Amino acid sequence: MEIDKAIRDSDDRRLKAKYNTAIYVIQRALALYSIEEVAFSFNGGKDSTVLLHLLRAGHFLHQVEHGHSNGDLSDHQFTFPIRTIYFESTSAFPEINSFTYETAASYGVQLDILRQDFKSGLEALLKAKPIRAIFLGVRIGDPTAVGQEQFSPSSSGWPPFMRVNPILDWSYRDVWAFLLTCKVQYCGLYDQGYTSIGSINDTVPNALLCIKDSAADKQKFRPAYMLSDGRLERAGRARKVSPIAGRVPAVSNGLKCTEPHQSSVLTASIVAVGDEILFGIIEDQLGPSLCRKLHSIGWVVSQIAIVRSDVDSVAEEVEKRKSTSDMVFIYGGVGPLHSDVTAGGVAKAFGVRLAPDEEYEEYLSQLFGDKYTGDRNEMARLPEGITELLQHEKLPVPLIMCHNVIILSATNVDELDVQWDALIDSRSTALTSLGPFLSKHLTTSLTDLEVAQPLSKISFEFPDIYIGCYRKSRTGPLTITFEGKDEEKVEAAMEALSVKLSSVVK
Ligand SMILES: Cc1cc2nc3c(=O)[nH]c(=O)nc-3n(C[C@H](O)[C@H](O)[C@H](O)COP(=O)(O)O)c2cc1C
Ligand SMILES: Nc1ncnc2c1ncn2[C@@H]1O[C@H](COP(=O)(O)OP(=O)(O)OP(=O)(O)O)[C@@H](O)[C@H]1O
Ligand SMILES: [Mg+2]
């Protein structure tokens, strides 16, 4: 079976682990329900395309296990035996419609086309057919995944059936790793910068994939698999636009299609975990170093917090920061000791549990060998369903990323340097360089009282320039700093203040 073979032949351990879990879920469902009792909800989207091929492989393996097939791995001509439903809508992209029909034809899939809304369509279907379980390509991070597990009964108010979500814990990156590794066809819209597809009324290409090319009259987009931060997968679906504007790829999620540094500033929060820092026994050196690194790539650090080494303190801080910052960096409290509570705190902040992560466990056992036994397995328990491992050749063990929270295991500045370089190199985080800040400063021996009024006027006139002040001693000169991304504006702000201050001197 070519899908199973492609995954087994691949050396992507994470993908293998995700594949195995999905196949396990599919096989359990096929053991629980007869083939007449299951259905597959297919809509030509990338997630349901992944699921189609997983179902093909899962059903094939199920047959082999039960002695119904000769197990011939080159068996391509397998007719797809699971009832497949497609809710066709007049507002679907024509490319999605044709891909759905063509794919069905290629893999022997019999499509049941439903032209009602989901609920009425399912009510009618369940009256007519003995369906008890429906496979869906829902993934954690989808708005509809909230509260769902791999097997979730339909919600109240819906007809009764089991929703089976074999790829619930797959990330955006896993989806693309699967489609590219298995070399299967996917809808052509994904090669035109669409990263998640709804209807023509609410979907445009993802502005984060826009290629700036002033020579061309039409904007171009990179393919969906190039999106480095899966969190932003739905950026092209955030805003409802008119049907005509929906096909014009100029605006998405309020972001103009420009180089990111021209239109946006991203913010980061830093969380250090450690009672010893709060007791004053050791000093946090990673926080200031991270601030410099983030500033150098054009990010704004909005906060550094130091929290106690307990799960609730970590969870409370991460919960606040993850929704107000684009990225949260957390360090300290990583390891197998009783005080190593960071992973647990992050899990709690996202409302998930800690569960063994096979892939991470493998890295740890390679690193620690035989010593890695017993309680040390604790280290391989990571937030379930939301963890992405960020591998890099320079790192002995991958970094852990849970949505927009990156757990750093560095304990000193040298280790941080290595992890930072790996993050910058890694295309799977959103840590893109936004273009550096331009910094200028001037010093004055005027008093704070003399400077206050002109300075507040200038701050008001230049709202997008960060104007700050510091002094090294109460009696020494005052340094005024100007930070911004537009050199001319930074200089204009500094010049304007100089003029105002010189008139104070006179
Ligand atoms: C087969 C199937 C089963 C569904 N079951 C439920 C359900 O039990 N409860 C629910 O609230 N929505 C259910 N939905 C609706 C989806 O959660 C969601 O609203 C729909 O896929 C639209 O998603 P979109 O807004 O991202 O296009 C179901 C949809 C499908 C196709
Ligand atoms: N019109 C539809 N007909 C049948 N199933 C659907 C339809 N819309 C959604 N689904 C089911 O819901 C799942 C989740 O939809 P979702 O839009 O998140 O994923 P997708 O369409 O597969 O991929 P993408 O996120 O790129 O749009 C689908 O994988 C599919 O199982
Ligand atoms: Mg979709």
Side-chain angles (χ1 to χ4, degrees), residues 60-116:
F60 178 81
L61 295 170
H62 181 74
Q63 292 287 91
V64 172
E65 212 169 86
H66 292 82
H68 300 308
S69 165
N70 59 12
D72 175 4
L73 292 183
S74 64
D75 187 0
H76 287 271
Q77 301 308 315
F78 201 64
T79 314
F80 189 70
I82 299 174
R83 178 181 299 284
T84 302
I85 52 174
Y86 174 40
F87 289 87
E88 195 178 297
S89 133
T90 47
S91 61
F93 283 84
E95 293 89 338
I96 276 284
N97 260 336
S98 47
F99 177 76
T100 305
Y101 283 102
E102 281 159 22
T103 307
S106 311
Y107 294 101
V109 175
Q110 298 284 325
L111 277 186
D112 274 3
I113 309 293
L114 305 173
R115 293 201 170 82
Q116 294 131 294

Short mmCIF file of all heavy atoms in Angstrom, two decimals, residues 60-116:
data_model
loop_
_atom_site.label_atom_id
_atom_site.label_comp_id
_atom_site.label_asym_id
_atom_site.label_seq_id
_atom_site.Cartn_x
_atom_site.Cartn_y
_atom_site.Cartn_z
N PHE A 60 -6.90 -0.64 4.53
CA PHE A 60 -6.08 -1.70 3.92
C PHE A 60 -5.41 -2.53 5.03
O PHE A 60 -5.47 -3.76 5.03
CB PHE A 60 -5.03 -1.06 3.01
CG PHE A 60 -4.10 -2.06 2.38
CD1 PHE A 60 -4.48 -2.77 1.25
CD2 PHE A 60 -2.86 -2.32 2.95
CE1 PHE A 60 -3.64 -3.72 0.69
CE2 PHE A 60 -2.01 -3.26 2.40
CZ PHE A 60 -2.40 -3.96 1.26
N LEU A 61 -4.80 -1.84 6.01
CA LEU A 61 -4.10 -2.55 7.07
C LEU A 61 -5.08 -3.35 7.94
O LEU A 61 -4.76 -4.44 8.40
CB LEU A 61 -3.30 -1.55 7.93
CG LEU A 61 -2.17 -0.84 7.17
CD1 LEU A 61 -1.60 0.31 7.99
CD2 LEU A 61 -1.06 -1.82 6.79
N HIS A 62 -6.25 -2.79 8.11
CA HIS A 62 -7.30 -3.49 8.88
C HIS A 62 -7.68 -4.80 8.17
O HIS A 62 -7.82 -5.85 8.81
CB HIS A 62 -8.51 -2.56 8.99
CG HIS A 62 -9.65 -3.12 9.77
ND1 HIS A 62 -9.63 -3.23 11.15
CD2 HIS A 62 -10.85 -3.63 9.39
CE1 HIS A 62 -10.76 -3.76 11.56
NE2 HIS A 62 -11.51 -4.02 10.52
N GLN A 63 -7.80 -4.71 6.86
CA GLN A 63 -8.13 -5.90 6.07
C GLN A 63 -7.03 -6.94 6.19
O GLN A 63 -7.30 -8.12 6.37
CB GLN A 63 -8.27 -5.52 4.57
CG GLN A 63 -9.45 -4.66 4.26
CD GLN A 63 -10.74 -5.45 4.34
OE1 GLN A 63 -11.36 -5.50 5.40
NE2 GLN A 63 -11.13 -6.09 3.26
N VAL A 64 -5.78 -6.47 6.07
CA VAL A 64 -4.64 -7.40 6.15
C VAL A 64 -4.67 -8.11 7.51
O VAL A 64 -4.53 -9.33 7.60
CB VAL A 64 -3.30 -6.64 5.96
CG1 VAL A 64 -2.10 -7.55 6.24
CG2 VAL A 64 -3.22 -6.06 4.55
N GLU A 65 -4.88 -7.30 8.56
CA GLU A 65 -4.89 -7.85 9.92
C GLU A 65 -5.96 -8.93 10.07
O GLU A 65 -5.80 -9.89 10.82
CB GLU A 65 -5.17 -6.72 10.90
CG GLU A 65 -4.50 -6.89 12.23
CD GLU A 65 -4.60 -5.61 13.04
OE1 GLU A 65 -5.63 -5.46 13.71
OE2 GLU A 65 -3.71 -4.75 12.93
N HIS A 66 -7.07 -8.74 9.38
CA HIS A 66 -8.17 -9.70 9.51
C HIS A 66 -8.19 -10.75 8.41
O HIS A 66 -9.19 -11.42 8.17
CB HIS A 66 -9.52 -8.96 9.60
CG HIS A 66 -9.62 -8.19 10.87
ND1 HIS A 66 -9.04 -6.95 11.02
CD2 HIS A 66 -10.16 -8.50 12.07
CE1 HIS A 66 -9.24 -6.52 12.24
NE2 HIS A 66 -9.92 -7.44 12.91
N GLY A 67 -7.08 -10.83 7.69
CA GLY A 67 -6.92 -11.88 6.69
C GLY A 67 -7.79 -11.73 5.46
O GLY A 67 -8.01 -12.69 4.73
N HIS A 68 -8.29 -10.48 5.21
CA HIS A 68 -9.15 -10.30 4.03
C HIS A 68 -8.38 -9.82 2.80
O HIS A 68 -8.94 -9.54 1.78
CB HIS A 68 -10.24 -9.27 4.32
CG HIS A 68 -11.12 -9.68 5.45
ND1 HIS A 68 -11.73 -10.91 5.51
CD2 HIS A 68 -11.48 -9.02 6.57
CE1 HIS A 68 -12.42 -11.00 6.64
NE2 HIS A 68 -12.29 -9.87 7.30
N SER A 69 -7.09 -9.61 2.95
CA SER A 69 -6.33 -9.12 1.79
C SER A 69 -5.01 -9.86 1.76
O SER A 69 -4.53 -10.35 2.79
CB SER A 69 -6.08 -7.63 1.92
OG SER A 69 -5.08 -7.24 1.02
N ASN A 70 -4.41 -9.97 0.59
CA ASN A 70 -3.14 -10.68 0.50
C ASN A 70 -1.97 -9.81 0.95
O ASN A 70 -0.83 -10.23 0.97
CB ASN A 70 -2.91 -11.18 -0.94
CG ASN A 70 -2.89 -10.02 -1.92
OD1 ASN A 70 -2.84 -8.85 -1.52
ND2 ASN A 70 -2.95 -10.34 -3.20
N GLY A 71 -2.27 -8.54 1.34
CA GLY A 71 -1.21 -7.68 1.87
C GLY A 71 -0.25 -7.20 0.80
O GLY A 71 0.83 -6.72 1.11
N ASP A 72 -0.62 -7.35 -0.45
CA ASP A 72 0.24 -6.89 -1.53
C ASP A 72 0.43 -5.38 -1.44
O ASP A 72 -0.51 -4.61 -1.60
CB ASP A 72 -0.41 -7.27 -2.87
CG ASP A 72 0.37 -6.73 -4.07
OD1 ASP A 72 1.44 -6.13 -3.82
OD2 ASP A 72 -0.09 -6.92 -5.21
N LEU A 73 1.65 -4.95 -1.13
CA LEU A 73 1.90 -3.52 -0.89
C LEU A 73 1.78 -2.67 -2.14
O LEU A 73 1.77 -1.46 -2.08
CB LEU A 73 3.26 -3.32 -0.23
CG LEU A 73 3.37 -3.85 1.20
CD1 LEU A 73 4.73 -3.55 1.79
CD2 LEU A 73 2.28 -3.28 2.10
N SER A 74 1.72 -3.28 -3.28
CA SER A 74 1.60 -2.46 -4.50
C SER A 74 0.14 -2.36 -4.95
O SER A 74 -0.15 -2.00 -6.08
CB SER A 74 2.45 -3.06 -5.62
OG SER A 74 1.92 -4.32 -5.94
N ASP A 75 -0.78 -2.70 -4.02
CA ASP A 75 -2.20 -2.75 -4.38
C ASP A 75 -2.79 -1.35 -4.53
O ASP A 75 -3.26 -0.74 -3.58
CB ASP A 75 -2.95 -3.52 -3.28
CG ASP A 75 -4.40 -3.77 -3.63
OD1 ASP A 75 -4.83 -3.35 -4.72
OD2 ASP A 75 -5.09 -4.37 -2.82
N HIS A 76 -2.71 -0.76 -5.72
CA HIS A 76 -3.20 0.60 -5.96
C HIS A 76 -4.67 0.63 -6.30
O HIS A 76 -5.34 1.61 -6.11
CB HIS A 76 -2.46 1.23 -7.16
CG HIS A 76 -1.06 1.60 -6.83
ND1 HIS A 76 -0.71 2.82 -6.32
CD2 HIS A 76 0.07 0.89 -6.94
CE1 HIS A 76 0.60 2.84 -6.13
NE2 HIS A 76 1.09 1.69 -6.49
N GLN A 77 -5.15 -0.44 -6.84
CA GLN A 77 -6.49 -0.43 -7.42
C GLN A 77 -7.58 -0.73 -6.40
O GLN A 77 -8.61 -1.28 -6.72
CB GLN A 77 -6.57 -1.48 -8.58
CG GLN A 77 -5.60 -1.23 -9.70
CD GLN A 77 -5.67 0.20 -10.23
OE1 GLN A 77 -6.76 0.73 -10.44
NE2 GLN A 77 -4.54 0.84 -10.41
N PHE A 78 -7.32 -0.35 -5.18
CA PHE A 78 -8.22 -0.65 -4.11
C PHE A 78 -9.43 0.28 -4.17
O PHE A 78 -9.27 1.49 -4.21
CB PHE A 78 -7.42 -0.40 -2.83
CG PHE A 78 -7.95 -1.08 -1.65
CD1 PHE A 78 -7.98 -2.46 -1.59
CD2 PHE A 78 -8.42 -0.34 -0.59
CE1 PHE A 78 -8.46 -3.08 -0.48
CE2 PHE A 78 -8.90 -0.97 0.52
CZ PHE A 78 -8.92 -2.34 0.58
N THR A 79 -10.64 -0.28 -4.22
CA THR A 79 -11.81 0.60 -4.24
C THR A 79 -12.08 1.06 -2.82
O THR A 79 -12.02 0.26 -1.89
CB THR A 79 -13.04 -0.15 -4.79
OG1 THR A 79 -12.62 -0.83 -5.95
CG2 THR A 79 -14.17 0.80 -5.10
N PHE A 80 -12.37 2.34 -2.68
CA PHE A 80 -12.54 2.90 -1.34
C PHE A 80 -13.92 2.51 -0.82
O PHE A 80 -14.94 2.89 -1.42
CB PHE A 80 -12.37 4.41 -1.42
CG PHE A 80 -12.31 5.08 -0.09
CD1 PHE A 80 -11.20 4.92 0.73
CD2 PHE A 80 -13.35 5.89 0.34
CE1 PHE A 80 -11.12 5.55 1.96
CE2 PHE A 80 -13.28 6.52 1.57
CZ PHE A 80 -12.18 6.35 2.38
N PRO A 81 -13.98 1.76 0.29
CA PRO A 81 -15.26 1.16 0.67
C PRO A 81 -16.08 1.99 1.67
O PRO A 81 -17.16 1.58 2.05
CB PRO A 81 -14.82 -0.14 1.33
CG PRO A 81 -13.50 0.21 1.95
CD PRO A 81 -12.90 1.31 1.16
N ILE A 82 -15.55 3.12 2.10
CA ILE A 82 -16.25 3.87 3.15
C ILE A 82 -17.16 4.92 2.50
O ILE A 82 -16.70 5.69 1.64
CB ILE A 82 -15.24 4.54 4.12
CG1 ILE A 82 -14.38 3.47 4.79
CG2 ILE A 82 -15.96 5.40 5.16
CD1 ILE A 82 -13.24 4.00 5.64
N ARG A 83 -18.41 4.94 2.92
CA ARG A 83 -19.36 5.94 2.39
C ARG A 83 -18.76 7.33 2.59
O ARG A 83 -18.30 7.67 3.68
CB ARG A 83 -20.68 5.84 3.15
CG ARG A 83 -21.70 6.87 2.73
CD ARG A 83 -22.97 6.73 3.54
NE ARG A 83 -23.57 5.40 3.36
CZ ARG A 83 -24.26 5.03 2.28
NH1 ARG A 83 -24.47 5.87 1.30
NH2 ARG A 83 -24.75 3.82 2.17
N THR A 84 -18.73 8.12 1.53
CA THR A 84 -18.08 9.42 1.61
C THR A 84 -19.08 10.52 1.29
O THR A 84 -19.76 10.46 0.26
CB THR A 84 -16.87 9.47 0.65
OG1 THR A 84 -15.98 8.42 1.02
CG2 THR A 84 -16.13 10.78 0.72
N ILE A 85 -19.17 11.49 2.20
CA ILE A 85 -20.16 12.55 2.00
C ILE A 85 -19.48 13.88 1.72
O ILE A 85 -18.44 14.20 2.32
CB ILE A 85 -21.13 12.69 3.21
CG1 ILE A 85 -20.33 12.83 4.51
CG2 ILE A 85 -22.06 11.48 3.29
CD1 ILE A 85 -21.22 13.11 5.73
N TYR A 86 -20.04 14.60 0.78
CA TYR A 86 -19.51 15.94 0.46
C TYR A 86 -20.68 16.92 0.47
O TYR A 86 -21.65 16.75 -0.27
CB TYR A 86 -18.83 15.92 -0.91
CG TYR A 86 -18.39 17.29 -1.41
CD1 TYR A 86 -17.81 18.22 -0.54
CD2 TYR A 86 -18.53 17.65 -2.75
CE1 TYR A 86 -17.40 19.47 -0.99
CE2 TYR A 86 -18.11 18.90 -3.22
CZ TYR A 86 -17.55 19.81 -2.33
OH TYR A 86 -17.15 21.04 -2.77
N PHE A 87 -20.59 17.92 1.33
CA PHE A 87 -21.62 18.96 1.38
C PHE A 87 -21.23 20.00 0.33
O PHE A 87 -20.35 20.83 0.57
CB PHE A 87 -21.67 19.62 2.76
CG PHE A 87 -22.24 18.71 3.81
CD1 PHE A 87 -21.42 17.83 4.51
CD2 PHE A 87 -23.60 18.73 4.10
CE1 PHE A 87 -21.94 16.99 5.47
CE2 PHE A 87 -24.13 17.89 5.07
CZ PHE A 87 -23.29 17.02 5.76
N GLU A 88 -21.87 19.90 -0.81
CA GLU A 88 -21.51 20.82 -1.89
C GLU A 88 -22.28 22.13 -1.69
O GLU A 88 -23.44 22.12 -1.30
CB GLU A 88 -21.88 20.20 -3.23
CG GLU A 88 -21.21 20.94 -4.36
CD GLU A 88 -21.51 20.31 -5.71
OE1 GLU A 88 -21.13 19.16 -5.94
OE2 GLU A 88 -22.14 21.00 -6.52
N SER A 89 -21.57 23.23 -1.94
CA SER A 89 -22.24 24.51 -1.73
C SER A 89 -21.94 25.41 -2.92
O SER A 89 -20.88 25.29 -3.56
CB SER A 89 -21.73 25.11 -0.42
OG SER A 89 -21.39 26.44 -0.59
N THR A 90 -22.86 26.32 -3.21
CA THR A 90 -22.66 27.20 -4.36
C THR A 90 -21.54 28.21 -4.08
O THR A 90 -21.01 28.80 -5.00
CB THR A 90 -23.95 27.97 -4.68
OG1 THR A 90 -24.43 28.50 -3.44
CG2 THR A 90 -24.99 27.08 -5.32
N SER A 91 -21.20 28.37 -2.81
CA SER A 91 -20.12 29.32 -2.51
C SER A 91 -18.77 28.64 -2.34
O SER A 91 -17.81 29.25 -1.86
CB SER A 91 -20.47 30.14 -1.26
OG SER A 91 -20.61 29.28 -0.17
N ALA A 92 -18.69 27.37 -2.74
CA ALA A 92 -17.37 26.69 -2.67
C ALA A 92 -16.52 27.17 -3.84
O ALA A 92 -17.04 27.55 -4.90
CB ALA A 92 -17.56 25.19 -2.74
N PHE A 93 -15.23 27.15 -3.69
CA PHE A 93 -14.33 27.47 -4.79
C PHE A 93 -14.49 26.41 -5.88
O PHE A 93 -14.53 25.21 -5.56
CB PHE A 93 -12.88 27.44 -4.32
CG PHE A 93 -12.45 28.65 -3.53
CD1 PHE A 93 -12.71 28.73 -2.16
CD2 PHE A 93 -11.82 29.72 -4.14
CE1 PHE A 93 -12.32 29.83 -1.42
CE2 PHE A 93 -11.43 30.83 -3.42
CZ PHE A 93 -11.68 30.88 -2.06
N PRO A 94 -14.57 26.84 -7.16
CA PRO A 94 -14.68 25.83 -8.23
C PRO A 94 -13.50 24.87 -8.21
O PRO A 94 -13.66 23.67 -8.48
CB PRO A 94 -14.67 26.66 -9.52
CG PRO A 94 -14.56 28.09 -9.12
CD PRO A 94 -14.63 28.21 -7.64
N GLU A 95 -12.32 25.38 -7.82
CA GLU A 95 -11.13 24.50 -7.76
C GLU A 95 -11.31 23.40 -6.73
O GLU A 95 -10.84 22.28 -6.90
CB GLU A 95 -9.88 25.31 -7.39
CG GLU A 95 -9.42 26.32 -8.43
CD GLU A 95 -10.08 27.70 -8.26
OE1 GLU A 95 -11.17 27.79 -7.64
OE2 GLU A 95 -9.52 28.68 -8.76
N ILE A 96 -12.00 23.74 -5.62
CA ILE A 96 -12.23 22.74 -4.56
C ILE A 96 -13.23 21.70 -5.07
O ILE A 96 -13.02 20.48 -4.90
CB ILE A 96 -12.75 23.45 -3.27
CG1 ILE A 96 -11.59 23.98 -2.45
CG2 ILE A 96 -13.65 22.56 -2.43
CD1 ILE A 96 -10.82 22.92 -1.65
N ASN A 97 -14.28 22.20 -5.72
CA ASN A 97 -15.27 21.27 -6.27
C ASN A 97 -14.64 20.29 -7.24
O ASN A 97 -14.82 19.08 -7.13
CB ASN A 97 -16.35 22.05 -7.02
CG ASN A 97 -17.59 22.22 -6.18
OD1 ASN A 97 -17.82 21.41 -5.28
ND2 ASN A 97 -18.37 23.24 -6.47
N SER A 98 -13.88 20.83 -8.19
CA SER A 98 -13.34 19.92 -9.20
C SER A 98 -12.31 18.99 -8.59
O SER A 98 -12.26 17.81 -8.93
CB SER A 98 -12.80 20.67 -10.42
OG SER A 98 -12.00 21.72 -10.01
N PHE A 99 -11.51 19.48 -7.62
CA PHE A 99 -10.54 18.59 -6.99
C PHE A 99 -11.25 17.44 -6.26
O PHE A 99 -10.83 16.28 -6.34
CB PHE A 99 -9.65 19.37 -6.00
CG PHE A 99 -8.68 18.49 -5.27
CD1 PHE A 99 -7.53 18.01 -5.89
CD2 PHE A 99 -8.94 18.08 -3.96
CE1 PHE A 99 -6.66 17.15 -5.23
CE2 PHE A 99 -8.07 17.23 -3.29
CZ PHE A 99 -6.93 16.77 -3.93
N THR A 100 -12.35 17.79 -5.59
CA THR A 100 -13.08 16.76 -4.83
C THR A 100 -13.59 15.67 -5.78
O THR A 100 -13.40 14.47 -5.53
CB THR A 100 -14.28 17.41 -4.09
OG1 THR A 100 -13.75 18.46 -3.29
CG2 THR A 100 -15.02 16.43 -3.21
N TYR A 101 -14.18 16.10 -6.89
CA TYR A 101 -14.71 15.11 -7.85
C TYR A 101 -13.58 14.30 -8.50
O TYR A 101 -13.69 13.08 -8.63
CB TYR A 101 -15.54 15.82 -8.93
CG TYR A 101 -16.91 16.23 -8.41
CD1 TYR A 101 -17.18 17.53 -8.05
CD2 TYR A 101 -17.93 15.28 -8.28
CE1 TYR A 101 -18.43 17.91 -7.56
CE2 TYR A 101 -19.18 15.64 -7.79
CZ TYR A 101 -19.43 16.95 -7.44
OH TYR A 101 -20.65 17.29 -6.95
N GLU A 102 -12.52 14.98 -8.88
CA GLU A 102 -11.41 14.27 -9.56
C GLU A 102 -10.75 13.27 -8.61
O GLU A 102 -10.42 12.15 -8.99
CB GLU A 102 -10.34 15.26 -10.04
CG GLU A 102 -10.74 15.95 -11.33
CD GLU A 102 -9.97 17.26 -11.55
OE1 GLU A 102 -8.88 17.43 -10.96
OE2 GLU A 102 -10.49 18.11 -12.29
N THR A 103 -10.56 13.69 -7.36
CA THR A 103 -9.91 12.79 -6.39
C THR A 103 -10.79 11.57 -6.16
O THR A 103 -10.29 10.44 -6.08
CB THR A 103 -9.67 13.55 -5.07
OG1 THR A 103 -8.96 14.73 -5.39
CG2 THR A 103 -8.88 12.73 -4.08
N ALA A 104 -12.09 11.83 -6.02
CA ALA A 104 -13.01 10.70 -5.81
C ALA A 104 -12.87 9.71 -6.97
O ALA A 104 -12.77 8.49 -6.76
CB ALA A 104 -14.44 11.22 -5.69
N ALA A 105 -12.82 10.24 -8.19
CA ALA A 105 -12.73 9.35 -9.35
C ALA A 105 -11.41 8.58 -9.32
O ALA A 105 -11.37 7.38 -9.60
CB ALA A 105 -12.85 10.18 -10.63
N SER A 106 -10.30 9.25 -8.94
CA SER A 106 -9.00 8.57 -8.97
C SER A 106 -8.91 7.42 -7.98
O SER A 106 -8.18 6.47 -8.21
CB SER A 106 -7.86 9.52 -8.61
OG SER A 106 -7.93 10.68 -9.31
N TYR A 107 -9.58 7.56 -6.83
CA TYR A 107 -9.39 6.54 -5.79
C TYR A 107 -10.62 5.65 -5.59
O TYR A 107 -10.74 5.01 -4.55
CB TYR A 107 -8.98 7.22 -4.47
CG TYR A 107 -7.62 7.87 -4.59
CD1 TYR A 107 -7.49 9.24 -4.77
CD2 TYR A 107 -6.46 7.09 -4.55
CE1 TYR A 107 -6.25 9.84 -4.90
CE2 TYR A 107 -5.20 7.68 -4.68
CZ TYR A 107 -5.11 9.06 -4.86
OH TYR A 107 -3.88 9.63 -5.00
N GLY A 108 -11.49 5.66 -6.54
CA GLY A 108 -12.66 4.78 -6.45
C GLY A 108 -13.58 5.16 -5.29
O GLY A 108 -14.16 4.29 -4.64
N VAL A 109 -13.66 6.46 -5.00
CA VAL A 109 -14.51 6.92 -3.90
C VAL A 109 -15.90 7.25 -4.44
O VAL A 109 -16.03 8.06 -5.37
CB VAL A 109 -13.91 8.20 -3.24
CG1 VAL A 109 -14.83 8.75 -2.16
CG2 VAL A 109 -12.53 7.91 -2.68
N GLN A 110 -16.94 6.63 -3.87
CA GLN A 110 -18.32 6.95 -4.26
C GLN A 110 -18.76 8.14 -3.43
O GLN A 110 -18.84 8.03 -2.21
CB GLN A 110 -19.25 5.78 -3.90
CG GLN A 110 -18.93 4.48 -4.62
CD GLN A 110 -19.41 4.52 -6.07
OE1 GLN A 110 -20.45 5.10 -6.35
NE2 GLN A 110 -18.65 3.91 -6.97
N LEU A 111 -19.04 9.27 -4.07
CA LEU A 111 -19.40 10.46 -3.29
C LEU A 111 -20.91 10.55 -3.12
O LEU A 111 -21.65 10.44 -4.10
CB LEU A 111 -18.95 11.72 -4.02
CG LEU A 111 -17.51 12.22 -3.89
CD1 LEU A 111 -17.37 13.55 -4.60
CD2 LEU A 111 -17.10 12.34 -2.44
N ASP A 112 -21.36 10.77 -1.88
CA ASP A 112 -22.75 11.15 -1.65
C ASP A 112 -22.77 12.66 -1.55
O ASP A 112 -22.17 13.23 -0.64
CB ASP A 112 -23.24 10.61 -0.29
CG ASP A 112 -23.74 9.19 -0.42
OD1 ASP A 112 -23.65 8.64 -1.53
OD2 ASP A 112 -24.20 8.65 0.60
N ILE A 113 -23.41 13.30 -2.52
CA ILE A 113 -23.41 14.76 -2.50
C ILE A 113 -24.63 15.25 -1.72
O ILE A 113 -25.76 14.86 -2.01
CB ILE A 113 -23.48 15.33 -3.94
CG1 ILE A 113 -22.42 14.68 -4.83
CG2 ILE A 113 -23.37 16.84 -3.94
CD1 ILE A 113 -21.01 15.02 -4.47
N LEU A 114 -24.38 16.10 -0.73
CA LEU A 114 -25.47 16.67 0.06
C LEU A 114 -25.51 18.17 -0.22
O LEU A 114 -24.47 18.83 -0.16
CB LEU A 114 -25.25 16.40 1.56
CG LEU A 114 -25.03 14.92 1.93
CD1 LEU A 114 -24.65 14.76 3.39
CD2 LEU A 114 -26.30 14.13 1.66
N ARG A 115 -26.72 18.68 -0.50
CA ARG A 115 -26.78 20.10 -0.85
C ARG A 115 -27.51 20.93 0.21
O ARG A 115 -27.89 22.04 -0.02
CB ARG A 115 -27.41 20.29 -2.24
CG ARG A 115 -26.52 19.72 -3.33
CD ARG A 115 -26.78 20.28 -4.72
NE ARG A 115 -25.72 19.85 -5.65
CZ ARG A 115 -25.66 18.68 -6.26
NH1 ARG A 115 -26.61 17.79 -6.08
NH2 ARG A 115 -24.65 18.40 -7.07
N GLN A 116 -27.71 20.32 1.39
CA GLN A 116 -28.32 21.08 2.48
C GLN A 116 -27.22 21.60 3.41
O GLN A 116 -26.05 21.32 3.20
CB GLN A 116 -29.23 20.15 3.32
CG GLN A 116 -30.43 19.64 2.58
CD GLN A 116 -30.55 18.13 2.75
OE1 GLN A 116 -29.70 17.39 2.26
NE2 GLN A 116 -31.58 17.70 3.44
#
